Amino acid sequence: MKTIQFTILFCIFMFIHKVNCKAQVNIIPYPASVDIMHGAFKLDKSTSIVLIDDILNINQLEVEQFNLWILQHYGFKLNQTNNLKDNQNIIQIRSEKTETEKYELNIQGNKIAIKASGEGLKNAFESLKQLMHANKKENVFSIPACFIIDSAGFQWRGMHLDVSRHFYDKAFVKKYIDYISMYKMNVFHWHLTDDQGWRIEIKKHPKLTEIGAWRKGSMIGHYNQHQFDTLRYGGFYTQDDIKEIVAYAKLKHVTIVPEIEMPGHAMAALSAYPQLACTSGPFEVEKQWGVFDDVFCPKPETFQFLEDVLTEVMALFPGEYIHVGGDECPKERWKNCSNCQNLIKKEALKDEHELQSYFIQRIEKFLNKNNKKLIGWDEILEGGLAQNAAVMSWRGTEGGIAAAKQNHFVVMTPGTHCYFDHYQGHPTMEPLAIGGFTPLEKVYNFNPIPSELNALESKYILGAQANVWTEYINTSKEVEYFAIPRMAALAEVLWTPIENKNLTRFLNNIQSHFSYLDLYQTNYAPSIYNINYEIKKDSLSNQFNLKLSNVLFDNNAQMPGDSIVLLKDNNKIEFYKSPIVLNKSFQLNAQYQRNNKLLGKACPIVFSFNKATGKNISFKEAPSKFYNKGNLTDGQKAHFPRINNEWLAWSGQNMEASLNLNDASFIESIDLGFLKNEQDWIYLPSQVEIFISLDNIHFVKVDTQPSISEINGKYNYHYAVNKLKAQYINITATCAPNIATGKPGEGESAWLFVDEIEIK
Ligand code: ACM
Ligand code: ZN
């Protein structure tokens, strides 16, 4: 009787368990269609592979690569046979007539049945590899039964890498291609030339790499610190290297789109061949990041040179597209060059923008004549798009929208979502980056099809791509950190049908996926575990609230048992409950934890409660609309590196602030924060005057000199006030005069950047 009862209970338990706890399919990008079934396939050393209909022998190659992967990571190989024993576990691969990215993967009983050819089979194996790893015990893989029918949402699923600002060796370029292929992406946009280094050997013009591949130093720290080292830096890929990488990419079903920048970003080329510029030079390979006035001059010898270069490039890269840059080309030199001005007249062009358009159109004709297509950054729209050109939309999606409406193909790569050189967490907890804020979930939520396009126009959106610019990415390990896991999120944007996307599932999968990445010693960014914080004034209570968030905590994507904890001196003192009212100074760390284990990095939070905190402040002249997000009385000092929305700024205008402390009290000190950064046209005030009052009518000037201290360009002006009683404080910070000759932005208005006002 007991046994029967137990059996019934057990069956009920199993039934509930199975219905509620279907096996997880941890595949990134998530497949187009997944039907999870009961049971599991045991893959081990005795599993055999059976290949059917592989007439052209393309699937044999994929099987060999799959077997190599098992050997590398688990130390055995699967037998390939057609003589099967009864009940033997097999992976049966039936070739499709035509090769596409699509595949079917049916895992059931003692058979894994795959239908695919070439790229599709590679994709099936990528899915299977992830399933194997997620379901491994010793060297047995218990893969949940499921039926997957899978294909790509978009045809251009790209990743870019800038090898000019920093150079990465051949082995890493191959590893980068491995990642692209692993995530079922298919385009590698290789940014081979820029101001800071020419990285591709061109036999006809050897000085491009003899001279153009080497610079005499690099920027260190952030651009706005304006510091350099003096180390010779460089490197390039020989044509043999390139052939090897192109062959490798073919094996991985990745097409390489090489980029040869023109007419701008040409300093490395001009340092080797100054005769191609508007002025005589000499030029140097740039040590500094940025945009430079010296660019290719559109004269006959320049076009001859570029055609020579492109001829060698076209011979090396079999893909249909050649990227010619086209972005950020200043027109200063062209305006003052007789060659350029004569050409404008001769071709009846309106201005220098039309000259840029003429430049690109001329190069396009050459590429088209050689059966290649031109793609360029969205500036190629200015002055008229070349006839067949495709556009890479980077300054938002507007360029892409305009191009699609003109029936041109588009790859979306807007800075807001697709620039993986941006921060992916709070800048205080991330390696130095150029700026921006593009966390994983923002990438995941990107939709390459803008709502402005109708169905017909949307067909011109080929897909999207993430760009990895490398000014701040010195090593290949750091490339991995900036690119991964955001690459996984973009892969799902581009592969998985939009109706199948699910951020919670993705966040769950990405966490187990981290252990898959460990197989490859990937230096992925675990930034999703980090805490973001916000201090906001509650308009009803007039008090400041601290709100902590974490994408896992907020999305319920976590395993059970997670929380945000507050720590003081590494000791947990409290669980976070939203929100925390801040009514005294506060210096703590916040960290995400799951099942008692702290994950990610501790987030330091400093709140300095003083007489000014939360008090009303008004300004005679409103701050610039570009820098009006900061709050001078929120108890928060601005961070380094600079986060713009922590500052208030005025251009060519004084800050005249009036502060009401609500009641009169004795004041001991007043602290003001200012920024100095001549590179960014930001100067300290030429004068600061403070007046205090009890009645808002009679004001007394504070006549002490400030003691001034500086950290990372942030200046603190500390005024010791000899216990004066006051309720009203007026502060005038006089903006510096127009920028002096010889300084960046000479003759322009200076900027005045102001941070926290603290009154004690
Ligand atoms: C770009 O980021 N200048 C294309
Ligand atoms: Zn010129």
Side-chain angles (χ1 to χ4, degrees):
M1 187 62 191
K2 271 211 168 128
T3 322
I4 291 169
Q5 268 178 356
F6 175 78
T7 310
I8 291 168
L9 280 174
F10 181 74
C11 288
I12 291 171
F13 171 79
M14 288 305 286
F15 178 74
I16 293 168
H17 187 74
K18 286 205 163 176
V19 171
N20 288 337
C21 303
K22 268 194 172 176
Q24 291 290 313
V25 167
N26 293 42
I27 299 173
I28 296 176
Y30 201 74
S33 155
V34 184
D35 196 0
I36 301 171
M37 294 172 289
H38 300 310
F41 176 94
K42 295 250 176 314
L43 192 153
D44 61 19
K45 281 180 196 174
S46 66
T47 303
S48 286
I49 295 182
V50 181
L51 253 182
I52 303 172
D53 294 340
D54 188 27
I55 298 157
L56 298 175
N57 240 3
I58 48 173
N59 280 347
Q60 180 62 37
L61 200 62
E62 303 301 332
V63 166
E64 281 161 21
Q65 289 192 76
F66 176 59
N67 242 336
L68 198 63
W69 178 85
I70 300 180
L71 185 66
Q72 265 170 3
H73 296 287
Y74 302 111
F76 67 93
K77 272 181 114 163
L78 301 183
N79 244 345
Q80 202 178 325
T81 176
N82 284 321
N83 296 325
L84 296 171
K85 300 184 205 97
D86 284 350
N87 287 329
Q88 191 184 349
N89 278 3
I90 60 161
I91 300 174
Q92 182 199 71
I93 299 154
R94 187 176 295 278
S95 300
E96 293 284 66
K97 284 211 177 62
T98 48
E99 178 181 350
T100 67
E101 89 293 354
K102 296 177 188 162
Y103 68 93
E104 271 185 37
L105 175 63
N106 192 354
I107 304 173
Q108 247 191 105
N110 60 356
K111 183 162 154 188
I112 293 180
I114 300 174
K115 271 201 234 170
S117 270
E119 182 184 356
L121 181 54
K122 183 273 293 183
N123 288 333
F125 281 141
E126 293 302 343
S127 293
L128 189 56
K129 279 150 65 170
Q130 293 189 35
L131 285 175
M132 284 171 65
H133 184 75
N135 297 283
K136 170 181 170 289
K137 261 209 186 118
E138 263 121 55
N139 268 355
V140 179
F141 305 85
S142 187
I143 305 167
C146 57
F147 182 34
I148 293 171
I149 303 176
D150 210 1
S151 60
F154 288 92
Q155 77 184 73
W156 186 299
R157 304 180 301 280
M159 284 300 301
H160 149 290
L161 183 65
D162 164 12
V163 296
S164 173
R165 276 55 178 264
H166 284 98
F167 179 73
Y168 313 98
D169 65 14
K170 196 167 60 179
F172 181 71
V173 175
K174 287 184 183 172
K175 195 172 182 193
Y176 198 72
I177 290 167
D178 285 343
Y179 290 126
I180 294 172
S181 185
M182 175 171 112
Y183 290 123
K184 305 188 177 84
M185 297 172 99
N186 59 355
V187 175
F188 170 40
H189 172 172
W190 202 359
H191 185 79
L192 284 161
T193 74
D194 214 305
D195 300 301
Q196 295 79 7
W198 184 282
R199 306 278 176 234
I200 172 173
E201 179 191 21
I202 299 296
K203 305 253 191 220
K204 193 156 183 191
H205 299 292
K207 283 196 237 166
L208 282 170
T209 43
E210 284 164 16
I211 294 172
W214 307 94
R215 61 178 184 248
K216 291 182 185 154
S218 308
M219 291 198 102
I220 46 176
H222 196 271
Y223 176 87
N224 50 37
Q225 291 166 271
H226 212 62
Q227 287 174 356
F228 298 84
D229 65 29
T230 52
L231 304 172
R232 177 176 150 89
Y233 183 93
F236 66 93
Y237 308 97
T238 64
Q239 294 207 354
D240 282 344
D241 290 338
I242 300 219
K243 284 179 194 151
E244 189 181 324
I245 290 169
V246 167
Y248 188 79
K250 180 163 187 271
L251 200 65
K252 301 283 169 176
H253 302 281
V254 170
T255 301
I256 303 183
V257 175
E259 180 178 351
I260 306 296
E261 267 273 17
M262 63 189 80
H265 288 293
M267 290 302 288
L270 298 181
S271 70
Y273 297 102
Q275 65 273 28
L276 306 178
C278 292
T279 61
S280 56
F283 306 105
E284 286 206 337
V285 181
E286 272 298 335
K287 297 192 275 190
Q288 181 172 314
W289 319 136
V291 172
F292 303 93
D293 283 344
D294 289 297
V295 300
F296 284 119
C297 177
K299 51 191 163 188
E301 61 188 302
T302 304
F303 285 113
Q304 186 55 54
F305 164 87
L306 289 170
E307 288 183 8
D308 293 344
V309 168
L310 291 172
T311 300
E312 293 190 30
V313 169
M314 289 186 298
L316 288 166
F317 294 95
E320 61 178 342
Y321 280 103
I322 304 284
H323 201 302
V324 298
D327 60 320
E328 299 179 318
C329 177
K331 308 294 186 294
E332 288 314 301
R333 295 291 180 265
W334 291 359
K335 281 182 189 154
N336 299 306
C337 165
S338 55
N339 260 319
C340 290
Q341 293 305 315
N342 288 341
L343 187 57
I344 286 178
K345 280 202 203 89
K346 182 168 156 242
E347 296 293 330
L349 304 171
K350 204 165 81 206
D351 55 16
E352 290 74 21
H353 292 289
E354 287 202 355
L355 182 56
Q356 151 129 355
S357 176
Y358 167 87
F359 195 119
I360 300 291
Q361 290 188 24
R362 195 164 154 168
I363 294 293
E364 177 180 54
K365 284 199 193 93
F366 177 73
L367 291 177
N368 288 173
K369 207 170 66 193
N370 288 281
N371 294 321
K372 295 284 183 187
K373 293 182 183 164
L374 180 146
I375 185 164
W377 301 110
D378 57 47
E379 285 93 331
I380 67 169
L381 278 150
E382 294 164 11
L385 206 46
Q387 199 174 9
N388 306 306
V391 170
M392 215 167 240
S393 188
W394 72 280
R395 298 174 301 174
T397 52
E398 292 80 359
I401 293 166
K405 284 184 186 287
Q406 295 173 37
N407 299 353
H408 284 256
F409 286 114
V410 170
V411 176
M412 284 298 186
T413 175
T416 48
H417 293 76
C418 296
Y419 269 45
F420 288 0
D421 55 337
H422 287 183
Y423 284 108
Q424 53 195 310
H426 197 278
T428 50
M429 288 187 287
E430 292 291 331
L432 183 68
I434 193 164
F437 184 60
T438 310
L440 188 66
E441 62 275 19
K442 189 168 176 190
V443 178
Y444 192 83
N445 288 328
F446 178 56
N447 182 355
I449 307 280
S451 56
E452 290 88 341
L453 297 183
N454 64 32
L456 211 61
E457 291 159 350
S458 301
K459 298 262 180 288
Y460 288 96
I461 308 295
L462 295 174
Q465 173 182 294
N467 298 334
V468 182
W469 300 104
T470 57
E471 288 92 336
Y472 298 91
I473 304 181
N474 300 8
T475 65
S476 55
K477 279 285 150 209
E478 288 172 34
V479 172
E480 291 183 340
Y481 186 92
F482 277 85
I484 300 173
R486 289 186 285 194
M487 191 193 284
L490 185 65
E492 200 147 311
V493 166
L494 292 169
W495 181 273
T496 311
I498 195 158
E499 59 278 10
N500 279 11
K501 275 175 65 191
N502 178 323
L503 179 63
T504 302
R505 181 200 61 222
F506 175 74
L507 289 170
N508 244 318
N509 280 352
I510 203 74
Q511 293 177 74
S512 30
H513 184 73
F514 286 160
S515 97
Y516 184 64
L517 292 171
D518 288 338
L519 275 186
Y520 307 101
Q521 283 98 41
T522 306
N523 182 36
Y524 56 85
S527 309
I528 49 166
Y529 293 119
N530 293 348
I531 306 292
N532 281 306
Y533 76 94
E534 198 180 14
I535 293 178
K536 275 234 151 110
K537 195 162 160 190
D538 182 83
S539 54
L540 286 178
S541 68
N542 231 9
Q543 281 184 304
F544 279 99
N545 292 329
L546 171 66
K547 190 171 179 306
L548 303 179
S549 62
N550 165 291
V551 66
L552 304 173
F553 192 69
D554 299 349
N555 278 283
N556 289 325
Q558 75 285 12
M559 316 289 179
D562 79 340
S563 56
I564 296 175
V565 288
L566 300 173
L567 302 120
K568 186 146 194 98
D569 304 327
N570 291 331
N571 296 317
K572 296 177 197 173
I573 53 166
E574 210 179 305
F575 287 107
Y576 167 70
K577 277 197 233 49
S578 157
I580 294 175
V581 177
L582 293 172
N583 46 20
K584 54 179 186 297
S585 293
F586 182 98
Q587 185 160 4
L588 287 173
N589 285 340
Q591 200 163 354
Y592 179 72
Q593 91 164 3
R594 181 182 301 149
N595 296 330
N596 250 337
K597 190 163 171 262
L598 292 169
L599 298 168
K601 282 190 192 162
C603 169
I605 304 164
V606 180
F607 179 74
S608 160
F609 191 80
N610 61 81
K611 287 185 187 354
T613 307
K615 300 296 158 43
N616 274 337
I617 185 164
S618 58
F619 301 101
K620 191 161 166 211
E621 294 289 346
S624 151
K625 65 175 191 237
F626 300 113
Y627 301 101
N628 62 4
K629 301 277 189 310
N631 183 328
L632 303 189
T633 56
D634 64 353
Q636 284 285 286
K637 288 224 165 124
H639 290 93
F640 180 83
R642 186 166 94 220
I643 302 171
N644 282 330
N645 63 14
E646 294 183 332
W647 294 85
L648 289 184
W650 288 260
S651 171
Q653 283 182 323
N654 304 339
M655 177 193 77
E656 292 186 50
S658 299
L659 184 64
N660 180 353
L661 303 181
N662 290 353
D663 44 37
S665 64
F666 285 102
I667 292 173
E668 290 179 6
S669 64
I670 299 174
D671 284 78
L672 309 172
F674 298 105
L675 190 67
K676 183 177 170 195
N677 188 325
E678 293 187 357
Q679 200 60 31
D680 289 354
W681 312 3
I682 302 168
Y683 286 80
L684 293 175
S686 49
Q687 177 175 281
V688 177
E689 289 180 302
I690 304 176
F691 296 88
I692 60 175
S693 166
L694 278 170
D695 57 4
N696 210 16
I697 300 168
H698 304 94
F699 279 87
V700 177
K701 187 172 177 190
V702 172
D703 57 5
T704 51
Q705 287 302 309
S707 60
I708 299 176
S709 53
E710 184 258 342
I711 306 175
N712 291 323
K714 280 169 54 188
Y715 285 72
N716 188 70
Y717 285 38
H718 175 80
Y719 294 83
V721 181
N722 203 4
K723 286 218 171 183
L724 291 173
K725 200 168 183 186
Q727 178 176 343
Y728 300 93
I729 320 272
N730 284 354
I731 302 169
T732 302
T734 307
C735 186
N738 282 4
I739 297 168
T741 311
K743 301 275 188 189
E746 63 179 44
E748 302 285 344
S749 297
W751 281 90
L752 172 69
F753 269 59
V754 188
D755 182 26
E756 198 65 5
I757 299 174
E758 283 186 88
I759 300 180
K760 290 190 179 139

PDB file of all heavy atoms in Angstrom, residues 276-279 295-299 333-334 336-341 355, ligand 2:
ATOM      1  N   LEU A 276      49.881  63.543 -51.705  1.00  0.00           N
ATOM      2  CA  LEU A 276      48.450  63.288 -51.928  1.00  0.00           C
ATOM      3  C   LEU A 276      47.562  64.248 -51.135  1.00  0.00           C
ATOM      4  O   LEU A 276      46.342  64.159 -51.187  1.00  0.00           O
ATOM      5  CB  LEU A 276      48.104  61.842 -51.540  1.00  0.00           C
ATOM      6  CG  LEU A 276      48.966  60.765 -52.217  1.00  0.00           C
ATOM      7  CD1 LEU A 276      48.579  59.376 -51.716  1.00  0.00           C
ATOM      8  CD2 LEU A 276      48.829  60.840 -53.747  1.00  0.00           C
ATOM      9  N   ALA A 277      48.199  65.170 -50.394  1.00  0.00           N
ATOM     10  CA  ALA A 277      47.427  66.137 -49.598  1.00  0.00           C
ATOM     11  C   ALA A 277      47.283  67.451 -50.360  1.00  0.00           C
ATOM     12  O   ALA A 277      47.853  67.634 -51.442  1.00  0.00           O
ATOM     13  CB  ALA A 277      48.138  66.376 -48.270  1.00  0.00           C
ATOM     14  N   CYS A 278      46.518  68.373 -49.792  1.00  0.00           N
ATOM     15  CA  CYS A 278      46.340  69.690 -50.418  1.00  0.00           C
ATOM     16  C   CYS A 278      47.557  70.588 -50.176  1.00  0.00           C
ATOM     17  O   CYS A 278      47.863  71.452 -50.982  1.00  0.00           O
ATOM     18  CB  CYS A 278      45.091  70.374 -49.855  1.00  0.00           C
ATOM     19  SG  CYS A 278      43.564  69.559 -50.328  1.00  0.00           S
ATOM     20  N   THR A 279      48.197  70.395 -49.004  1.00  0.00           N
ATOM     21  CA  THR A 279      49.402  71.183 -48.712  1.00  0.00           C
ATOM     22  C   THR A 279      50.596  70.231 -48.724  1.00  0.00           C
ATOM     23  O   THR A 279      50.426  69.010 -48.822  1.00  0.00           O
ATOM     24  CB  THR A 279      49.289  71.861 -47.340  1.00  0.00           C
ATOM     25  OG1 THR A 279      49.148  70.837 -46.359  1.00  0.00           O
ATOM     26  CG2 THR A 279      48.092  72.793 -47.270  1.00  0.00           C
ATOM     27  N   VAL A 295      43.585  65.983 -45.292  1.00  0.00           N
ATOM     28  CA  VAL A 295      42.860  64.831 -45.862  1.00  0.00           C
ATOM     29  C   VAL A 295      43.351  64.622 -47.287  1.00  0.00           C
ATOM     30  O   VAL A 295      44.138  65.427 -47.802  1.00  0.00           O
ATOM     31  CB  VAL A 295      41.332  65.098 -45.836  1.00  0.00           C
ATOM     32  CG1 VAL A 295      40.849  65.329 -44.405  1.00  0.00           C
ATOM     33  CG2 VAL A 295      40.950  66.301 -46.706  1.00  0.00           C
ATOM     34  N   PHE A 296      42.900  63.562 -47.947  1.00  0.00           N
ATOM     35  CA  PHE A 296      43.293  63.348 -49.347  1.00  0.00           C
ATOM     36  C   PHE A 296      42.776  64.499 -50.207  1.00  0.00           C
ATOM     37  O   PHE A 296      41.615  64.908 -50.095  1.00  0.00           O
ATOM     38  CB  PHE A 296      42.694  62.044 -49.893  1.00  0.00           C
ATOM     39  CG  PHE A 296      43.383  60.795 -49.406  1.00  0.00           C
ATOM     40  CD1 PHE A 296      42.680  59.837 -48.678  1.00  0.00           C
ATOM     41  CD2 PHE A 296      44.726  60.543 -49.692  1.00  0.00           C
ATOM     42  CE1 PHE A 296      43.294  58.666 -48.242  1.00  0.00           C
ATOM     43  CE2 PHE A 296      45.353  59.372 -49.260  1.00  0.00           C
ATOM     44  CZ  PHE A 296      44.628  58.434 -48.531  1.00  0.00           C
ATOM     45  N   CYS A 297      43.642  65.010 -51.077  1.00  0.00           N
ATOM     46  CA  CYS A 297      43.232  66.027 -52.046  1.00  0.00           C
ATOM     47  C   CYS A 297      42.739  65.308 -53.309  1.00  0.00           C
ATOM     48  O   CYS A 297      43.446  64.440 -53.830  1.00  0.00           O
ATOM     49  CB  CYS A 297      44.434  66.915 -52.389  1.00  0.00           C
ATOM     50  SG  CYS A 297      44.049  68.139 -53.643  1.00  0.00           S
ATOM     51  N   PRO A 298      41.551  65.650 -53.778  1.00  0.00           N
ATOM     52  CA  PRO A 298      41.004  64.917 -54.937  1.00  0.00           C
ATOM     53  C   PRO A 298      41.681  65.294 -56.254  1.00  0.00           C
ATOM     54  O   PRO A 298      41.056  65.871 -57.137  1.00  0.00           O
ATOM     55  CB  PRO A 298      39.518  65.295 -54.916  1.00  0.00           C
ATOM     56  CG  PRO A 298      39.457  66.585 -54.187  1.00  0.00           C
ATOM     57  CD  PRO A 298      40.600  66.629 -53.233  1.00  0.00           C
ATOM     58  N   LYS A 299      42.955  64.996 -56.375  1.00  0.00           N
ATOM     59  CA  LYS A 299      43.662  65.300 -57.624  1.00  0.00           C
ATOM     60  C   LYS A 299      43.976  63.989 -58.339  1.00  0.00           C
ATOM     61  O   LYS A 299      43.898  62.911 -57.713  1.00  0.00           O
ATOM     62  CB  LYS A 299      44.918  66.116 -57.339  1.00  0.00           C
ATOM     63  CG  LYS A 299      45.848  65.560 -56.290  1.00  0.00           C
ATOM     64  CD  LYS A 299      46.900  66.613 -55.918  1.00  0.00           C
ATOM     65  CE  LYS A 299      47.587  66.269 -54.615  1.00  0.00           C
ATOM     66  NZ  LYS A 299      48.466  67.332 -54.142  1.00  0.00           N
ATOM     67  N   ARG A 333      40.942  72.239 -45.716  1.00  0.00           N
ATOM     68  CA  ARG A 333      42.024  72.254 -46.715  1.00  0.00           C
ATOM     69  C   ARG A 333      41.471  72.423 -48.127  1.00  0.00           C
ATOM     70  O   ARG A 333      42.048  73.118 -48.944  1.00  0.00           O
ATOM     71  CB  ARG A 333      42.854  70.974 -46.623  1.00  0.00           C
ATOM     72  CG  ARG A 333      43.611  70.810 -45.324  1.00  0.00           C
ATOM     73  CD  ARG A 333      44.755  71.818 -45.191  1.00  0.00           C
ATOM     74  NE  ARG A 333      45.449  71.617 -43.935  1.00  0.00           N
ATOM     75  CZ  ARG A 333      45.198  72.296 -42.814  1.00  0.00           C
ATOM     76  NH1 ARG A 333      44.297  73.254 -42.800  1.00  0.00           N
ATOM     77  NH2 ARG A 333      45.866  72.029 -41.709  1.00  0.00           N
ATOM     78  N   TRP A 334      40.366  71.772 -48.410  1.00  0.00           N
ATOM     79  CA  TRP A 334      39.765  71.850 -49.744  1.00  0.00           C
ATOM     80  C   TRP A 334      39.342  73.290 -50.076  1.00  0.00           C
ATOM     81  O   TRP A 334      39.413  73.707 -51.222  1.00  0.00           O
ATOM     82  CB  TRP A 334      38.548  70.922 -49.849  1.00  0.00           C
ATOM     83  CG  TRP A 334      38.873  69.450 -49.813  1.00  0.00           C
ATOM     84  CD1 TRP A 334      40.115  68.892 -49.711  1.00  0.00           C
ATOM     85  CD2 TRP A 334      37.940  68.366 -49.895  1.00  0.00           C
ATOM     86  NE1 TRP A 334      40.017  67.523 -49.712  1.00  0.00           N
ATOM     87  CE2 TRP A 334      38.684  67.163 -49.828  1.00  0.00           C
ATOM     88  CE3 TRP A 334      36.559  68.272 -50.019  1.00  0.00           C
ATOM     89  CZ2 TRP A 334      38.091  65.901 -49.874  1.00  0.00           C
ATOM     90  CZ3 TRP A 334      35.962  67.018 -50.070  1.00  0.00           C
ATOM     91  CH2 TRP A 334      36.723  65.851 -50.005  1.00  0.00           C
ATOM     92  N   ASN A 336      40.790  75.944 -49.264  1.00  0.00           N
ATOM     93  CA  ASN A 336      41.941  76.806 -49.542  1.00  0.00           C
ATOM     94  C   ASN A 336      42.921  76.192 -50.536  1.00  0.00           C
ATOM     95  O   ASN A 336      44.087  76.571 -50.568  1.00  0.00           O
ATOM     96  CB  ASN A 336      42.677  77.100 -48.226  1.00  0.00           C
ATOM     97  CG  ASN A 336      41.764  77.820 -47.258  1.00  0.00           C
ATOM     98  OD1 ASN A 336      41.192  78.845 -47.602  1.00  0.00           O
ATOM     99  ND2 ASN A 336      41.579  77.264 -46.079  1.00  0.00           N
ATOM    100  N   CYS A 337      42.457  75.231 -51.314  1.00  0.00           N
ATOM    101  CA  CYS A 337      43.372  74.527 -52.222  1.00  0.00           C
ATOM    102  C   CYS A 337      42.950  74.829 -53.657  1.00  0.00           C
ATOM    103  O   CYS A 337      41.780  74.645 -54.024  1.00  0.00           O
ATOM    104  CB  CYS A 337      43.295  73.032 -51.933  1.00  0.00           C
ATOM    105  SG  CYS A 337      44.009  71.998 -53.203  1.00  0.00           S
ATOM    106  N   SER A 338      43.897  75.283 -54.469  1.00  0.00           N
ATOM    107  CA  SER A 338      43.534  75.655 -55.840  1.00  0.00           C
ATOM    108  C   SER A 338      43.112  74.425 -56.646  1.00  0.00           C
ATOM    109  O   SER A 338      42.176  74.474 -57.442  1.00  0.00           O
ATOM    110  CB  SER A 338      44.700  76.378 -56.520  1.00  0.00           C
ATOM    111  OG  SER A 338      45.847  75.568 -56.450  1.00  0.00           O
ATOM    112  N   ASN A 339      43.787  73.300 -56.408  1.00  0.00           N
ATOM    113  CA  ASN A 339      43.374  72.048 -57.061  1.00  0.00           C
ATOM    114  C   ASN A 339      41.902  71.756 -56.820  1.00  0.00           C
ATOM    115  O   ASN A 339      41.144  71.454 -57.750  1.00  0.00           O
ATOM    116  CB  ASN A 339      44.138  70.876 -56.413  1.00  0.00           C
ATOM    117  CG  ASN A 339      45.308  70.446 -57.246  1.00  0.00           C
ATOM    118  OD1 ASN A 339      45.194  70.381 -58.462  1.00  0.00           O
ATOM    119  ND2 ASN A 339      46.422  70.193 -56.578  1.00  0.00           N
ATOM    120  N   CYS A 340      41.540  71.828 -55.535  1.00  0.00           N
ATOM    121  CA  CYS A 340      40.171  71.477 -55.134  1.00  0.00           C
ATOM    122  C   CYS A 340      39.183  72.482 -55.720  1.00  0.00           C
ATOM    123  O   CYS A 340      38.129  72.099 -56.245  1.00  0.00           O
ATOM    124  CB  CYS A 340      40.050  71.443 -53.618  1.00  0.00           C
ATOM    125  SG  CYS A 340      40.939  70.066 -52.886  1.00  0.00           S
ATOM    126  N   GLN A 341      39.523  73.762 -55.615  1.00  0.00           N
ATOM    127  CA  GLN A 341      38.604  74.788 -56.095  1.00  0.00           C
ATOM    128  C   GLN A 341      38.438  74.715 -57.613  1.00  0.00           C
ATOM    129  O   GLN A 341      37.328  74.881 -58.138  1.00  0.00           O
ATOM    130  CB  GLN A 341      39.069  76.179 -55.637  1.00  0.00           C
ATOM    131  CG  GLN A 341      38.972  76.367 -54.117  1.00  0.00           C
ATOM    132  CD  GLN A 341      37.568  76.088 -53.569  1.00  0.00           C
ATOM    133  OE1 GLN A 341      36.571  76.525 -54.134  1.00  0.00           O
ATOM    134  NE2 GLN A 341      37.489  75.334 -52.474  1.00  0.00           N
ATOM    135  N   LEU A 355      31.915  68.164 -53.453  1.00  0.00           N
ATOM    136  CA  LEU A 355      33.232  67.633 -53.844  1.00  0.00           C
ATOM    137  C   LEU A 355      33.474  66.277 -53.159  1.00  0.00           C
ATOM    138  O   LEU A 355      33.999  65.344 -53.767  1.00  0.00           O
ATOM    139  CB  LEU A 355      34.333  68.633 -53.474  1.00  0.00           C
ATOM    140  CG  LEU A 355      35.756  68.241 -53.874  1.00  0.00           C
ATOM    141  CD1 LEU A 355      35.870  67.959 -55.372  1.00  0.00           C
ATOM    142  CD2 LEU A 355      36.756  69.331 -53.479  1.00  0.00           C
TER     143      LEU A 355
HETATM  144 ZN    ZN B   2      43.163  69.892 -52.483  1.00  0.00          ZN
END
